[in-house]
Amino acid sequence: MNQDYPGLNGRPLPVPETGIGHRSACNTVSNGKRFQWRVKPQPFGVNFPEQTCVEDWKQLEQQQRDILRNEIAHATFRPIDHVDADEVEAAEFWCRGALFRCERFLKVDQTAKDPFAASQLEARTEAKFLQFDEDYQHPPLEAVQLLMARSYVRQLTKFSNAQEKFAKANKLPHLREPKNQYDEALLHMYTNQQTWPNLMQEYNAVSRSIETGKTPNPDLLARCLNVIRDRWKFLKAKFIDHTFHNERNEHLATTPGLLRSIPDTYIYMALDKNDRLLLHLDPSGIERTFGKDVKTRMERDTIFWFFLKPPQKNVNARHASAKKNMERNKLMENQCGTDHLGHWLQVGYSKSPPVETKDALDVGARHGARQKQNFLDYMESTVGTITRLLDYEFGYLEPELREQYREVYRESPKNARLPPTNPPNHEETYCLRALICNVPTDEHRDTRDWVGGLTGLVQLGDFTGAAMALKQLGILLHGYRSGSSLQFRGTILKHFIAPWTGTCRYAFDHTTHEDLRQWVLKDKAARLAGVEDQPFHNDFSATDQPLQQSEEVDDSDHSITLEASKPAVPKPKPAKRKRDSEPDQSAQPSHQPAQSSTAQPPPSTAPSPPPAPPVAPARRVRLKLTSKPPVE
């Protein structure tokens, strides 16, 4: 452990002796699929045995924040010795025994609609690709169109109703999702380049039959190809050649001089022109805070967890780079995927309440109670240690924003949240975690994350490479390595991971989605407005006057629906019962359903009651309760 970086109250942070990731800690049952722990797993990392530990962490965050802000305010920023000197200035200083490098990007403004509108850093980077783009061999578009037509023909022959619709309206099935067909066609073209000439010959033959119109009814393949060609200009605008862009970015990250390299010898910070944080990278965040021994056990436990429960594989054709990555790294044993743990809003259900992610539900549903307990132990130990580090960095970088994250977690439905990884004395910050196992990260923005928020990342594993590239800033972060911690604006910065080699690479992504945040804000505003408009008493005292109300309890979300008080309507007096000998001409047979299966009530002889006065529509108020209210 770095003795220059003190822990709580100047002491190194406590580390228990044992972790959970020993293969000797479990034995195999006869079927070879279930595992049993010999010793109950114990959480490791940072212990929080005392109430005062919370105040110690807050004090440590406040001290780090004050010192860091003071150093930045008094640091001397100078233009960097690079071609980008007109846009970037930097300063270096020591803070709590660690060397910091802080760079200010003078033409990046996060308050603008387009933060990089005035910056030329990305344009300069793109200009370096001219020779690469000229030499790159793209698949012929005609052959891609032919492969897409073949795919649609297979769909039409499989479903007769789709073929009938195509014959009537001349519209292809699932034409609203043509990107999947395009991605599969490109993947086939790139992996079978020797078939390009044959595909071009077949395309020319089919195309000639369409143009000359030799037959009044062209075959199905020709008709599908004709529809694709007619709509190609419209469809091509939505297509992306992922293989081309991935190879382009790989060339950018591996060729020296195309991006400005940021070494891993210091903690790196990037600010915009208003001194607002863009990113914060600590290359040794785990070791600096908890020690090297804890980092080693976290890596061992993570390897063992994915040995017990392999991750969900990415089967989309847009993740074709995963296949190439597996060929480059033979020792990964085909473990490549991502598990999303936490709660979110399902895609397309922005008005529905948050739900627990499918990966978290499957741990207990598919793998049994013992495996779920292993999962909770792993979340409390390794993932909890990572969360505490990112939470600490979040606290001294932007405490106000972190409080907003915590409020969203507090206001989320309890039945959708995972058990907190922090101890009871510490509030939970993040609603969602993505455990990324050996997955190559293509260039993207985190479009679903908190707009303007901070995404926390930690890498673990046995690998070399995997630096993070940011073309908009023109930098390559070599400090993003095993044991590093990163905070950055994922919704603003386009990023991708450079190629790597090794046995395993794990990334822990901590975030909260923007649609979840909006749902919580709307739900809270609706509840506050409802309480002001229609007061509700959970506990009536002897002097309280309860409202006249009817209650409908919903067991799914422990919510309650109240109807406003209705004006009392006088009940009509029952008519006198007539004698059996006196016939009633006005009596009509009753059409009411039977009260029971054995006895039928006699026809009603009472006159119809007067119509009730109109009643105001009921106002529905949804109140979240910690427990089910008693129903009277």
Side-chain angles (χ1 to χ4, degrees):
M1 178 179 294
N2 191 344
Q3 299 298 329
D4 296 331
Y5 191 88
L8 303 179
N9 296 330
R11 301 185 304 273
L13 301 179
V15 180
E17 295 181 357
T18 58
I20 68 172
H22 304 277
R23 293 207 178 203
S24 59
C26 71
N27 57 355
T28 309
V29 190
S30 58
N31 57 13
K33 296 183 180 180
R34 292 185 58 188
F35 296 87
Q36 296 179 354
W37 297 98
R38 292 178 181 172
V39 182
K40 181 176 174 58
Q42 299 295 328
F44 60 85
V46 179
N47 283 339
F48 303 95
E50 304 292 341
Q51 295 284 346
T52 56
C53 192
V54 182
E55 301 300 328
D56 291 341
W57 274 102
K58 290 182 179 179
Q59 182 180 0
L60 185 62
E61 293 172 357
Q62 185 64 41
Q63 292 176 358
Q64 180 76 356
R65 179 164 57 251
D66 295 341
I67 295 175
L68 189 58
R69 289 180 178 178
N70 182 68
E71 292 290 346
I72 294 176
H74 294 84
T76 302
F77 286 82
R78 296 183 176 88
I80 62 175
D81 186 13
H82 194 265
V83 68
D84 300 329
D86 59 329
E87 291 198 26
V88 186
E89 57 183 15
E92 295 184 3
F93 52 86
W94 289 85
C95 179
R96 298 182 68 88
L99 178 61
F100 278 74
R101 178 180 176 87
C102 185
E103 293 187 351
R104 181 183 291 134
F105 291 81
L106 303 176
K107 295 185 180 180
V108 178
D109 185 7
Q110 297 187 59
T111 61
K113 184 177 181 180
D114 183 4
F116 302 95
S119 176
Q120 296 297 320
L121 296 177
E122 186 175 8
R124 294 172 185 173
T125 303
E126 291 292 335
K128 302 173 184 178
F129 281 111
L130 295 178
Q131 188 62 36
F132 177 86
D133 294 344
E134 292 178 359
D135 298 339
Y136 192 83
Q137 187 176 6
H138 292 273
L141 293 181
E142 294 82 359
V144 175
Q145 293 175 356
L146 179 63
L147 291 178
M148 293 179 63
R150 284 182 178 178
S151 177
Y152 283 119
V153 168
R154 288 193 295 268
Q155 294 185 40
L156 290 172
T157 55
K158 185 176 181 181
F159 303 101
S160 58
N161 56 348
Q163 191 170 355
E164 294 175 359
K165 293 181 180 179
F166 175 68
K168 295 180 180 180
N170 206 31
K171 291 184 179 181
L172 294 177
H174 309 293
L175 197 57
R176 290 175 296 178
E177 291 293 336
K179 290 186 287 187
N180 294 337
Q181 313 291 345
Y182 181 77
D183 293 334
E184 293 176 0
L186 279 182
L187 181 60
H188 177 83
M189 295 291 290
Y190 278 114
T191 54
N192 301 277
Q193 295 190 14
Q194 69 278 4
T195 62
W196 291 8
N198 296 333
L199 289 174
M200 288 301 300
Q201 293 179 5
E202 183 179 357
Y203 173 84
N204 293 331
V206 176
S207 180
R208 283 194 298 268
S209 66
I210 296 176
E211 294 173 356
T212 57
K214 294 181 179 180
T215 57
N217 295 318
D219 60 351
L220 197 57
L221 178 62
R223 293 174 58 192
C224 290
L225 181 60
N226 191 23
V227 175
I228 293 175
R229 287 169 50 180
D230 292 342
R231 300 200 60 187
W232 186 255
K233 184 177 180 181
F234 169 75
L235 297 176
K236 186 64 174 67
K238 300 181 179 181
F239 294 158
I240 299 176
D241 190 345
H242 297 278
T243 303
F244 166 68
H245 285 282
N246 292 337
E247 293 185 3
R248 200 170 183 258
N249 290 331
E250 181 177 342
H251 172 75
L252 175 67
T254 56
T255 304
L258 296 185
L259 289 176
R260 183 165 57 91
S261 297
I262 305 298
D264 58 357
T265 55
Y266 39 65
I267 299 176
Y268 178 76
M269 295 182 63
L271 309 175
D272 67 355
K273 71 174 192 177
N274 302 317
D275 284 347
R276 189 182 179 191
L277 182 71
L278 286 169
L279 67 91
H280 173 279
L281 172 64
D282 188 350
S284 304
I286 298 292
E287 294 185 23
R288 196 187 309 276
T289 309
F290 304 114
K292 186 176 181 179
D293 182 52
V294 171
K295 173 181 173 292
T296 303
R297 281 181 287 163
M298 293 170 67
E299 292 174 340
R300 181 183 58 196
D301 289 3
T302 302
I303 293 174
F304 185 63
W305 166 249
F306 282 112
F307 172 74
L308 289 178
K309 193 266 178 189
Q312 295 291 335
K313 293 185 179 181
N314 296 325
V315 296
N316 197 314
R318 300 171 197 175
H319 295 87
S321 55
K323 181 179 180 181
K324 185 176 181 181
N325 180 69
M326 298 298 296
E327 295 175 352
R328 186 188 295 117
N329 303 280
K330 296 293 185 180
L331 301 178
M332 290 185 180
E333 300 178 357
N334 294 327
Q335 284 198 351
C336 182
T338 303
D339 284 342
H340 295 89
L341 307 174
H343 62 280
W344 57 12
L345 293 183
Q346 291 180 320
V347 178
Y349 295 88
S350 59
K351 295 183 180 180
S352 300
V355 296
E356 190 174 349
T357 60
K358 183 177 181 296
D359 295 334
L361 291 172
D362 287 348
V363 172
R366 295 188 179 183
H367 303 280
R370 186 177 297 277
Q371 187 78 314
K372 186 174 183 178
Q373 184 60 45
N374 295 338
F375 163 71
L376 296 176
D377 293 332
Y378 174 72
M379 290 290 292
E380 183 181 359
S381 55
T382 298
V383 180
T385 305
I386 293 173
T387 301
R388 194 66 199 99
L389 171 60
L390 296 175
D391 196 39
Y392 161 69
E393 293 180 344
F394 205 161
Y396 75 73
L397 291 173
E398 292 199 10
E400 296 83 4
L401 182 60
R402 185 185 66 171
E403 181 57 32
Q404 297 179 28
Y405 271 64
R406 289 180 170 182
E407 182 181 4
V408 170
Y409 182 88
R410 288 194 302 265
E411 298 294 335
S412 297
K414 291 185 178 181
N415 58 351
R417 301 183 313 202
L418 284 178
T421 58
N422 277 340
N425 300 332
H426 292 260
E427 291 192 74
E428 198 77 8
T429 301
Y430 303 98
C431 295
L432 181 66
R433 296 169 181 84
L435 275 59
I436 305 170
C437 176
N438 300 327
V439 175
T441 305
D442 303 337
E443 187 176 34
H444 70 287
R445 290 189 185 93
D446 301 326
T447 54
R448 291 196 64 186
D449 287 0
W450 188 300
V451 175
L454 284 178
T455 301
L457 286 171
V458 166
Q459 279 198 126
L460 292 174
D462 179 19
F463 61 91
T464 56
M468 177 172 283
L470 303 165
K471 287 197 297 186
Q472 293 166 308
L473 302 179
I475 59 177
L476 185 66
L477 301 175
H478 291 283
Y480 187 58
R481 60 189 184 186
S482 179
S484 63
S485 59
L486 172 66
Q487 303 274 355
F488 77 114
R489 310 283 182 186
T491 58
I492 298 176
L493 296 171
K494 292 187 294 185
H495 54 282
F496 67 92
I497 301 300
W500 77 88
T501 57
T503 58
C504 56
R505 171 186 170 268
Y506 307 104
F508 299 80
D509 188 341
H510 291 60
T511 185
T512 296
H513 281 176
E514 174 66 19
D515 54 2
L516 174 61
R517 171 199 175 197
Q518 296 296 334
W519 186 93
V520 168
L521 293 177
K522 291 180 181 179
D523 180 68
K524 183 178 180 180
R527 286 187 287 111
L528 292 177
V531 169
E532 294 176 0
D533 186 45
Q534 178 70 38
F536 173 70
H537 303 276
N538 269 339
D539 185 16
F540 296 108
S541 61
T543 58
D544 288 335
Q545 297 295 329
L547 299 174
Q548 297 179 2
Q549 57 191 12
S550 62
E551 302 178 352
E552 298 174 0
V553 179
D554 186 1
D555 293 340
S556 59
D557 58 354
H558 304 289
S559 61
I560 186 168
T561 303
L562 306 181
E563 293 187 4
S565 302
K566 299 182 180 180
V569 179
K571 296 182 179 180
K573 295 181 179 181
K576 294 182 179 180
R577 187 175 179 180
K578 296 184 179 182
R579 299 178 182 177
D580 297 338
S581 60
E582 296 179 5
D584 188 1
Q585 302 296 334
S586 62
Q588 299 294 333
S590 176
H591 297 283
Q592 296 289 339
Q595 298 291 336
S596 64
S597 59
T598 58
Q600 294 288 344
S604 175
T605 58
S608 59
V615 181
R619 292 174 294 183
R620 302 178 67 86
V621 182
R622 300 185 65 84
L623 297 178
K624 294 172 60 177
L625 304 178
T626 57
S627 61
K628 297 183 181 180
V631 181
E632 296 181 359

